[in-house]
């Protein structure tokens, strides 16, 4: 790979730029395919989604509350002004949108006297359906509200001061979209600035600070094209676009930094540009590739979830990381090959060496020198103390994790999506509605009943330009002789639910004027129709009261329908045929009560019982109620489904709260499997990469402890300090993301320790060296990625705040605490057990199955100038006499071996290419000669390397300080 990149660097960079240019037109349109309503991204099939599908298909009269104008008032005068605003607003909407919308008075609501204080709700219905996007008209509608207030204030001065909100599902979608764009414009520059500052301080260079985020930006532009392509096939939840940028900035910059830092370190040791770059690609590239694959595994596992929101999030995040990984492995080395040490401008390799010399030998230090000195001191201290206090660190970890595990196990996650919506006018309006009315007024819960057969004939009759529904019950709906059938059964069920649960504010199920009439007649002990009708009229819901009164007035012979006199309702419920139709008053009122309110389907096959809870939708109490309601419907011989099996064949609990409840439970169930899959895949990956039985398991355990501690900390901060519930998605996403991204640092550290083991160091020496050399860059990467995620706490959405805090703190805990202290301490305690593995893997890595190293292979550095020759080719310094000389001798041996191994690898590649050409008949006579020459050269190089390794080991054994 190194040879290909170094040979074709310009072509690699050109190819990336061509792909970027082709991707940008599609990436720019990625925002057009984003979804902002989580309910629209549910799973393939749940009870709530099946119930909602029935409502959408079979109920034509369900109330449209996609946009609602809410007007708050606190006096009878202000109520009159609010009514005037409604009239003005209705006229303005008719002028602007015509038949596209219908504006209707949804009524006044109040927890007290609605004539004194409360809210007026005005429903804005979209008559065009999905063919017209009313959500993006929200700003225009709000402008019309302001104009209506101004117009109404001429006659009602109070109108100008009334508080108004345009809310509803479409308005919330619009505000969420705008809030998301604001979050991106606020978070992205801060993330980039943070990266620039940290990289500038670490490298003390401007160019190096710019290159990683610029390369990631290029990769992000290409990733947006993937967002657009996937969004055209399935919904992409809006948060995904923010997460992909932050994830790519964090992980992509980590990968780029690791390779650039490795190149710089090898150049500082004296290697040539070519050898340093090859070493950086070989060793740094292996660590980066392994880390990237682990992150992709973590994100891709989300694609196993049935819910589109989580599935597309996983697919897109995995694609984004894959693009960033390939960019780091190809574009960065190609750029390094072209610009060489200029990438560190205004610093250079010599200036880095001078700083290190001043740090070691004394001298005047600048900012970079002080930072370098502080870093060296800290990581030298860390390497000593992780060995010295390894048992204490292990004990402290256990003590720290006990309360964390307790909080993790005992804390309850929330499904309350409303509480994590970004602050906006629509959310404020929603809060006001839930304050002045029962909490579930605009997000009701529905009990959908699928009847064994149709229970009624449903139709409509024209009257005064209106279409008035009617219902004629059949024997399955209502048997007048025995008072049995679907109607009394559903009425009985709704009454039982209303009586059993205090959280039920109101429940609207099937109703029969005949049954209600007979019930009141019995309760009052009178047969006087006027008295009974007056009582029934008073019990009618406000939404249908006017229509019922009109029918009763017509039946009673009243003609002035603008002043209905309840005392004139002097006929029994079934006295008249109305308007020449062979229908009774009961048929028409039953049509208004059941079909007109969306309770009975147009074909009489389905019933939708509407339950409005007193508590907010999606609150913990509402979710508990849904669980109990479902149990009452479905579980056991005493359930409603069993008792009324002769009437309905199936029942469903639907609505926004039920959808989120199903989503949270199903996602949690699926993630029980996904967690296991991710853990196993990562263990297998690390097993083959590291050739060890225990180290992959130890790495997974430390990451899991990071997850537990982070979830506990998130609950403490948001629930305990900010009184904000932790959304159920947070622990789930945190587990998968941290198991991937957090594994980066485990892999960076562990592969460096393994590299040192392969070079011949013992276990503790390998750990010490890895902490000192890889520790600074790992800490930098953790600060970069953790910091970029933490910038999300500045977002308007509480969901993004929680995700940013959890992911950011998780990365910092893992990268700085677990990898910095815990992993080295545990590997010290494990000793060579960390490297025990199957022979075919350990020998491939230059280790014996018992964990000891086989030879003195592989590292980087310069060939000593004052070297002797072994076997006619290999340079070796004189045998060392002091511990310092021993350490220096080892490093020089490692460096020479690295150069030779690179040469052997290149010869192997050439021999393989020539051999393949010979096998397919493409090798001429000159090629045959070249193949034999290359084989001889390869054999000689291998023999020379073995002789060098043998002689250097003998020299080390005979040297002092061993």
């Amino acid at each position: 790979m190194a040879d290909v990149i170094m040979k074709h660097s310009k072509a690699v960079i050109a190819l990336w730029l061509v792909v970027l240019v082709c991707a940008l037109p599609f990436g720019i349109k990625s925002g057009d395919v984003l979804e902002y309503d989580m309910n629209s991204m549910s799973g393939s099939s749940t009870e709530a989604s099946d119930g909602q599908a029935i409502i959408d298909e079979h109920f034509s009269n369900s109330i449209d509350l996609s946009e609602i104008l809410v007007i708050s008032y606190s006096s009878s005068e202000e109520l009159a002004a609010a009514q005037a605003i409604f009239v003005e607003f209705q006229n303005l909407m008719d002028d602007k949108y015509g038949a596209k919308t219908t504006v209707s008075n949804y009524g006044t609501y109040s927890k007290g006297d609605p004539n004194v204080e409360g809210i007026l709700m005005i429903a804005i219905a979209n008559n065009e359906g999905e063919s017209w996007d009313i959500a993006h008209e929200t700003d225009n509608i709000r402008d019309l509200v302001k104009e209506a207030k101004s117009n109404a204030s001429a006659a009602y001065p109070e109108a100008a001061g009334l508080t108004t909100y345009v809310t509803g599902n479409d308005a919330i979608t619009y505000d969420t979209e705008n809030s998301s764009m604001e979050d991106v414009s606020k978070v992205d520059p801060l993330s980039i600035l943070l990266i620039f500052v940290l990289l500038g301080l670490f490298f003390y260079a401007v160019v190096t600070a710019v290159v990683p985020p610029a390369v990631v930006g290029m990769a992000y532009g290409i990733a947006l094209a993937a967002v657009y392509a996937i969004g055209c096939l399935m919904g992409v939840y809006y948060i995904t676009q923010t997460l992909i940028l932050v994830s790519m900035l964090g992980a992509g910059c980590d990968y780029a930094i690791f390779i650039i830092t490795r190149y710089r370190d090898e150049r500082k040791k004296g290697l040539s540009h070519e050898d340093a770059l090859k070493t950086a690609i070989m060793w740094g590239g292996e660590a980066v590739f392994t880390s990237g694959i682990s992150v992709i595994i973590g994100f891709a596992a989300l694609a196993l979830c049935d819910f589109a929101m989580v599935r597309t999030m996983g697919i897109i995040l995995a694609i984004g990381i894959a693009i960033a990984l390939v960019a780091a492995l190809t574009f960065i080395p190609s750029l390094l090959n072209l610009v060489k040490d200029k990438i560190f401008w205004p610093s250079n390799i010599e200036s880095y060496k001078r700083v290190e010399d001043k740090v070691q030998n004394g001298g005047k230090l600048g900012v970079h020198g002080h930072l370098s000195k502080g870093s060296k001191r800290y990581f030298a201290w860390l390497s000593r103390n992780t060995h010295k206090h390894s048992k204490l660190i292990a004990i402290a970890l256990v003590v720290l994790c006990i309360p964390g595990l307790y909080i993790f196990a005992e804390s309850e996650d929330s499904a309350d999506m409303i509480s994590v919506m970004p602050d906006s006018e629509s959310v404020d309006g929603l809060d006001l509605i839930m304050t002045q009315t029962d909490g579930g007024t605009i997000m009701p819960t529905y009990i959908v009943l699928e009847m064994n057969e149709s229970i009624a004939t449903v139709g409509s009759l024209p009257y005064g330009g209106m279409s008035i529904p009617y219902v004629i019950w059949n024997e399955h709906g209502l048997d007048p002789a025995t008072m049995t059938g679907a109607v009394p059964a559903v009425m009985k069920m709704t009454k039982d639910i209303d009586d059993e649960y205090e959280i039920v504010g109101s429940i609207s199920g099937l109703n029969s004027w005949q049954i209600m009439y007979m019930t009141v007649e019995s309760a009052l002990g009178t047969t006087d129709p006027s008295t009974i009708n007056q009582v029934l009229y008073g019990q009618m819901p406000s939404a249908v009261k006017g229509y019922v009164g009109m029918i009763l007035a017509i039946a009673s012979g009243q003609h002035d329908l603008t002043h209905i006199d309840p005392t004139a309702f002097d006929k029994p419920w079934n006295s008249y045929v109305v308007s020449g139709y062979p229908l009774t008053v009961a048929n028409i009122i039953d049509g208004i009560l059941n079909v007109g309110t969306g309770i009975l389907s147009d074909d009489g096959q389905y019933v939708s019982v509407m339950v409005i809870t007193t508590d907010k939708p999606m609150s913990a109490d509402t979710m508990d109620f849904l669980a109990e309601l479902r149990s009452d419907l479905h579980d056991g011989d005493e359930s409603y489904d069993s008792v009324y099996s002769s009437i309905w064949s199936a029942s469903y609990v639907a609505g926004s709260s039920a959808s989120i409840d199903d989503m949270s439970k199903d996602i949690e169930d699926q993630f029980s499997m996904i967690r296991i899959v991710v853990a196993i895949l990562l263990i297998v990956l690390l097993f083959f990469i590291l050739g060890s039985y225990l180290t992959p398991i130890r790495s997974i355990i430390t990451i899991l402890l990071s997850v537990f501690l982070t979830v506990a900390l998130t609950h403490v901060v948001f629930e305990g300090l900010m009184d904000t519930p932790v959304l159920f998605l947070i622990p789930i996403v945190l587990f998968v993301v941290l198991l991937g991204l957090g594994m980066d640092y485990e892999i960076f550290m562990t592969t460096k320790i393994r590299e040192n083991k392969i070079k011949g160091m013992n276990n503790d020496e390998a750990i010490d060296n890895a902490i000192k050399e890889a520790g600074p860059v790992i800490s930098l990467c953790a600060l970069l990625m953790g910091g970029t995620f933490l910038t999300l706490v500045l977002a308007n959405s509480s969901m993004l705040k929680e995700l940013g805090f959890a992911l950011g703190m998780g990365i910092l805990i893992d990268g700085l605490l677990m990898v910095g202290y815990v992993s080295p301490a545990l590997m010290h305690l494990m000793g060579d057990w960390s490297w025990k593995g199957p022979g075919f893997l350990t020998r491939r890595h230059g280790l014996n199955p018992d964990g000891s190293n086989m030879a003195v292979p592989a590292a980087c550095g310069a060939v000593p100038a004052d070297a002797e020759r072994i076997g006619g080719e290999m340079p070796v310094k004189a045998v060392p006499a002091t511990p310092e000389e021993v350490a220096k001798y080892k490093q020089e041996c490692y460096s020479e071996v690295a150069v030779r191994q690179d040469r052997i690898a290149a010869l192997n590649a050439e021999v393989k290419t020539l051999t393949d050409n010979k096998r397919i008949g493409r090798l001429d006579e000159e090629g045959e000669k070249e193949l034999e020459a290359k084989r001889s050269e390869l054999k000689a190089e291998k023999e020379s390397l073995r002789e060098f390794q043998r002689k250097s080991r003998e020299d080390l054994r005979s040297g002092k300080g061993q």
Side-chain angles (χ1 to χ4, degrees), residues 313 323 340 427 436 452 454 508 512 529 696 725 734 754 784-785:
M313 183 185 294
I323 295 172
K340 299 182 172 61
V427 173
Q436 292 290 347
N452 291 327
S454 177
S508 303
S512 162
L734 177 66
R754 186 205 63 181
L784 281 175
M785 189 181 296

Side-chain angles (χ1 to χ4, degrees), residues 251-325:
C253 286
D254 282 3
Y255 304 151
I257 292 164
F258 205 76
I259 291 175
I260 292 173
T261 302
R262 189 61 188 262
Y263 169 79
R264 184 193 67 173
D265 292 346
E266 302 309 324
R267 290 286 288 126
K268 283 161 60 177
K269 293 174 183 176
L271 259 66
S272 66
H273 162 73
E274 290 76 13
D275 291 337
L277 185 55
K278 283 184 178 180
T279 303
I281 296 172
M282 181 176 70
W283 287 105
E286 181 193 37
V288 165
F289 178 77
T290 307
S291 300
I293 294 298
S294 71
V295 177
I296 292 170
I297 288 173
F299 283 143
L302 295 173
L304 300 176
C305 183
D306 284 343
F307 282 86
M309 182 194 74
V310 178
R311 182 170 63 249
T312 56
M313 183 185 294
I315 293 171
I316 289 172
L317 289 175
I319 291 173
I321 295 298
I323 295 172
L325 174 65

Side-chain angles (χ1 to χ4, degrees), residues 166 301 313 670:
V166 174
M313 183 185 294
Q670 291 173 23

Side-chain angles (χ1 to χ4, degrees), residues 507-529:
I507 182 168
S508 303
L510 286 178
N511 278 298
S512 162
W513 184 263
Q514 182 177 5
I515 293 177
M516 291 187 293
Y517 190 98
M518 295 176 63
T519 302
V520 172
E521 181 181 47
S522 175
L524 296 179
T526 179
T527 58
D528 177 40

Side-chain angles (χ1 to χ4, degrees), residues 831-943:
D832 283 336
W833 280 92
S834 295
W835 307 106
K836 290 185 182 297
F840 77 96
L841 284 178
T842 51
R843 290 192 184 96
R844 180 176 144 240
H845 291 309
L847 297 172
N848 290 310
D850 63 357
S852 60
N853 92 306
M854 296 171 59
V856 189
C860 358
V863 177
D866 54 343
E868 299 175 0
R869 294 280 174 179
I870 294 181
E873 291 185 43
M874 292 294 194
V876 178
K877 285 196 63 166
V879 177
T882 66
E884 290 77 14
E885 290 177 341
V886 168
K888 186 176 180 181
Y889 179 87
K890 281 184 178 182
Q891 184 60 52
E892 290 170 346
C893 289
Y894 302 156
S895 301
E896 175 60 20
V897 170
V899 173
R900 279 295 175 178
Q901 286 195 327
D902 287 345
R903 192 179 305 168
I904 289 172
L907 285 170
N908 264 320
E910 292 181 43
V911 168
K912 184 179 185 304
T913 300
L914 291 169
T915 303
D916 290 342
N917 288 337
K918 179 180 180 180
R919 186 173 62 253
I920 60 177
R922 289 184 178 177
L923 213 62
D924 56 15
E925 185 175 346
E926 288 296 319
E928 293 276 2
K929 292 179 180 179
E930 183 181 3
L931 174 60
E932 290 303 315
K934 291 292 183 182
R935 283 174 173 170
S936 298
E937 185 179 356
L938 177 61
K939 182 178 179 181
E941 286 284 352
K942 289 181 176 179
E943 289 175 354

Side-chain angles (χ1 to χ4, degrees), residues 117-320:
E117 181 180 11
I119 57 173
L120 174 65
M121 290 174 55
I122 299 164
I124 307 166
N126 176 9
N127 298 328
E128 301 293 312
E130 295 183 0
S131 63
W132 184 58
D133 184 10
I134 192 174
H136 284 89
E137 296 294 323
T138 300
D139 263 350
N140 293 329
I141 292 173
R142 286 172 176 158
D143 289 339
L144 293 181
V145 172
K146 294 176 183 177
E147 187 176 347
K149 289 172 65 177
S150 177
N151 294 345
S153 64
Y156 297 89
E158 297 88 351
L162 293 184
T163 302
T164 60
Y165 303 96
V166 174
T167 184
N169 290 334
D170 283 340
I172 290 172
T173 296
Y174 176 78
D175 286 341
T176 302
E177 180 179 352
N178 285 346
S179 177
S180 172
M181 293 168 61
E182 289 176 10
D183 288 342
V184 169
S185 64
K186 181 168 50 179
V187 168
D188 292 356
L190 185 59
S191 299
I192 294 171
L193 178 62
L194 175 67
I195 291 171
F196 183 80
V197 169
L198 289 176
L199 290 182
L201 291 174
F202 184 80
F203 288 103
Y204 211 64
V206 174
V207 175
T208 324
V210 172
V211 167
V215 172
V216 173
M218 174 191 69
Y220 177 65
I222 297 170
L224 286 182
V227 172
Y228 177 76
I230 293 172
C232 290
L233 301 175
M234 60 185 78
V236 177
Y237 197 48
Y238 77 98
I239 281 179
T240 304
Q241 190 174 41
T242 304
L243 286 179
I244 190 176
L245 175 60
V246 176
S247 299
M248 290 181 69
L249 272 175
C253 286
D254 282 3
Y255 304 151
I257 292 164
F258 205 76
I259 291 175
I260 292 173
T261 302
R262 189 61 188 262
Y263 169 79
R264 184 193 67 173
D265 292 346
E266 302 309 324
R267 290 286 288 126
K268 283 161 60 177
K269 293 174 183 176
L271 259 66
S272 66
H273 162 73
E274 290 76 13
D275 291 337
L277 185 55
K278 283 184 178 180
T279 303
I281 296 172
M282 181 176 70
W283 287 105
E286 181 193 37
V288 165
F289 178 77
T290 307
S291 300
I293 294 298
S294 71
V295 177
I296 292 170
I297 288 173
F299 283 143
L302 295 173
L304 300 176
C305 183
D306 284 343
F307 282 86
M309 182 194 74
V310 178
R311 182 170 63 249
T312 56
M313 183 185 294
I315 293 171
I316 289 172
L317 289 175
I319 291 173

